[in-house]
Amino acid sequence: MTLVSGLEISGLDVEVDGKPVLSGIDLSVPSGELHVLLGPNGSGKSSLLAAIMGLPPYRITAGEIRFNGQSLNDLPLCARARLGIGMAFQRPPGLEGVTLEAFAAALSAQDRLTREAAALDLADFTTRQLNVGFSGGEIKRWEILKLMLQDPRLVLFDEPESGVDLEHVIAVGHAIDRIVRAPDTPRTGLVITHTGTILNHVTADRAHILRGGRVIASGAAPTLFAHVQTQGYTAPAA
């Protein structure tokens, strides 16, 4: 794989406590593109995001992950964040005593907080503690706002539509598009999804099917999603 910029994964094997969870993953997401990873529960989708982000206890045993030409394999989580890698978690913890305003101040992003919180209908939440007492939809919108404040170059989204109603899914999908498609800041985006619902509300450049820890198919997002809806998580016939 040869990319000028973006995410490159080649021959990637990952294990947890000695148990293989990913095998032979090859995936390329160029800068400025948004890709979607489809797959059933337990297929390894969240494991792949964790390996990219450098979260324990996921351990790379073969292959390589590169972002903008730099290998991530031996970098700790904090170094990956400094490179501009950010992640919206599926189930983020509550942080008592830390308000949205304090979080933004720590990032010197108070100006972005006012603008982006309003866009995500979170303007009244800036003095609230992070994820404390938030509904499922509010947590998802906060995770998107968090990325906007962090201003990363590679954005990872773990099941952004899970556990929320349609109104919030629409808002989150539009926000994901705004992050990745920002004209002044080229970004690379990877969304993982079980239901595929988010595909109705984002403009994905490409989709991939992950099953049993392996990528079994790649193609145009609408075409691959339509196949999954009728044939399940199988590889389309050649």
Side-chain angles (χ1 to χ4, degrees):
M1 283 182 282
T2 303
L3 290 176
V4 175
S5 60
L7 175 67
E8 304 173 74
I9 303 174
S10 56
L12 184 70
D13 294 353
V14 173
E15 69 175 24
V16 175
D17 298 328
K19 179 182 177 181
V21 292
L22 296 171
S23 178
I25 300 293
D26 292 316
L27 193 68
S28 298
V29 188
S31 179
E33 291 193 6
L34 176 67
H35 287 206
V36 174
L37 193 64
L38 300 154
N41 288 330
S43 60
K45 302 186 304 298
S46 293
S47 297
L48 180 59
L49 292 197
I52 296 170
M53 196 73 237
L55 301 176
Y58 297 88
R59 189 172 75 87
I60 296 172
T61 57
E64 188 173 34
I65 304 174
R66 300 177 69 84
F67 178 57
N68 288 344
Q70 180 169 348
S71 176
L72 305 182
N73 284 36
D74 298 322
L75 295 182
L77 189 157
C78 58
R80 300 184 197 207
R82 292 190 187 100
L83 278 179
I85 303 174
M87 181 171 171
F89 291 87
Q90 183 177 1
R91 298 182 183 88
L95 299 179
E96 294 186 1
V98 181
T99 66
L100 273 65
E101 286 180 340
F103 185 91
L107 295 172
S108 299
Q110 296 96 322
D111 57 334
R112 290 200 299 275
L113 175 64
T114 300
R115 180 177 66 251
E116 302 299 352
L120 284 163
D121 197 23
L122 291 172
D124 294 335
F125 284 65
T126 56
T127 59
R128 295 270 299 272
Q129 299 175 90
L130 297 184
N131 291 327
V132 177
F134 285 19
S135 70
E138 290 162 354
I139 287 174
K140 295 296 184 181
R141 284 184 285 137
W142 158 246
E143 283 295 288
I144 302 298
L145 176 56
K146 177 192 72 177
L147 290 177
M148 290 176 169
L149 297 178
Q150 291 173 321
D151 195 27
R153 295 301 177 267
L154 170 60
V155 284
L156 309 172
F157 302 91
D158 190 355
E159 303 276 5
E161 79 276 41
S162 67
V164 299
D165 59 32
L166 180 58
E167 181 182 2
H168 287 127
V169 172
I170 294 171
V172 167
H174 292 169
I176 289 172
D177 263 355
R178 282 205 304 125
I179 292 175
V180 177
R181 309 296 180 184
D184 56 338
T185 309
R187 293 187 175 95
T188 302
L190 181 61
V191 178
I192 67 169
T193 176
H194 170 61
T195 67
T197 306
I198 196 68
L199 274 165
N200 294 321
H201 309 290
V202 299
T203 307
D205 295 284
R206 196 164 176 80
H208 314 272
I209 297 176
L210 185 69
R211 187 181 182 99
R214 297 177 179 272
V215 175
I216 63 170
S218 298
T223 302
L224 212 56
F225 184 41
H227 170 82
V228 167
Q229 288 178 302
T230 59
Q231 304 297 321
Y233 299 104
T234 61

